Amino acid sequence: MDMDQALQMFIAESDELLESMESALLGVLQTSDRSDAVNAIFRAAHTIKGSAGLFAFDGVVAFTHVVESVLDAVRDGHLELDESLVSLLLDCGDHIGGLISAATGGETTADLSERGAGLVGRLKARLATNNDAMPVGVLNRRLNFRGVPYFESVANQGVGVLDTFLALTRETVAHTFRKYHLDKKIQDFDDML
């Protein structure tokens, strides 16, 4: 296989992957278990990035790497997948297609670069805002207090289960500590009598 054939295969495979990525993004919010769809979206971006690297399409690789980082944060539960993120990822898919067309045609445009910079900024902003704290909904699902009536009701109300748990633990420890010290003082007093 010569380089022209390999390039044509890359273009065809990228088109298919971008179509499957778009299809998965359009349906992901309608499913209760999003993990399969998110993994498929991630794999499509990852495959495009890897194949683009073989042809030294550095612009495609760099941009897709940022998309991949956001998808990785979604997979790990550090970033909530919502309508605005799906919309952003759909725009990114279109941009990846544009980058591939430009790279395989040997051209770049200022508009394409400017659009890419704007998308990267929006993606990085998503990563930065969710870097330190996991959203309450994601954390509640991860802690999985189903079947524990009090915590399940807290989670259903959208309150942070971890915060509630820590507050209760703090109260319990403080109460136990006070009770221990009171019992100790009573015992010390008894010993003196």
Side-chain angles (χ1 to χ4, degrees):
M1 177 183 307
D2 67 7
M3 283 303 281
D4 267 351
Q5 289 174 316
L7 183 60
Q8 292 310 310
M9 200 156 82
F10 165 71
I11 294 169
E13 182 184 32
S14 294
D15 287 344
E16 287 175 21
L17 289 167
L18 288 169
E19 282 179 30
S20 70
M21 188 173 162
E22 180 178 18
S23 177
L25 281 165
L26 291 172
V28 71
L29 295 179
Q30 283 71 45
T31 61
S32 58
D33 181 11
R34 299 174 177 171
S35 59
D36 287 343
V38 171
N39 284 331
I41 297 163
F42 178 88
R43 279 192 307 275
H46 184 73
T47 302
I48 290 169
K49 182 184 88 170
S51 297
L54 294 173
F55 292 97
F57 295 149
D58 297 335
V60 177
V61 172
F63 180 80
T64 308
H65 178 72
V66 180
V67 172
E68 208 179 37
S69 296
V70 168
L71 290 167
D72 208 24
V74 170
R75 287 187 337 164
D76 290 343
H78 295 292
L79 189 59
E80 188 89 44
L81 188 63
D82 57 17
E83 286 182 31
S84 65
L85 182 56
V86 167
S87 178
L88 175 57
L89 291 170
L90 285 166
D91 288 346
C92 289
D94 292 342
H95 186 66
I96 291 169
L99 287 171
I100 291 169
S101 292
T104 57
E107 60 190 62
T108 57
T109 66
D111 288 344
L112 195 59
S113 297
E114 189 175 309
R115 181 168 188 240
L119 290 169
V120 166
R122 290 171 57 199
L123 291 166
K124 287 186 175 182
R126 285 294 188 126
L127 288 171
T129 59
N130 289 289
N131 215 10
D132 298 330
M134 192 178 297
V136 168
V138 173
L139 185 58
N140 285 347
R141 283 192 302 279
R142 281 214 157 169
L143 291 173
N144 192 6
F145 279 101
R146 288 179 196 84
V148 181
Y150 178 77
F151 288 112
E152 187 170 16
S153 70
V154 167
N156 289 337
Q157 293 171 20
V159 178
V161 171
L162 184 59
D163 292 335
T164 304
F165 179 75
L166 291 173
L168 288 173
T169 302
R170 209 171 11 258
E171 283 179 35
T172 303
V173 168
H175 176 74
T176 304
F177 185 74
R178 284 191 301 271
K179 184 173 178 348
Y180 169 77
H181 276 293
L182 183 60
D183 286 348
K184 181 78 170 131
K185 286 181 181 179
I186 290 171
Q187 185 180 7
D188 290 347
F189 186 70
D190 255 357
D191 289 343
M192 286 177 28
L193 292 175

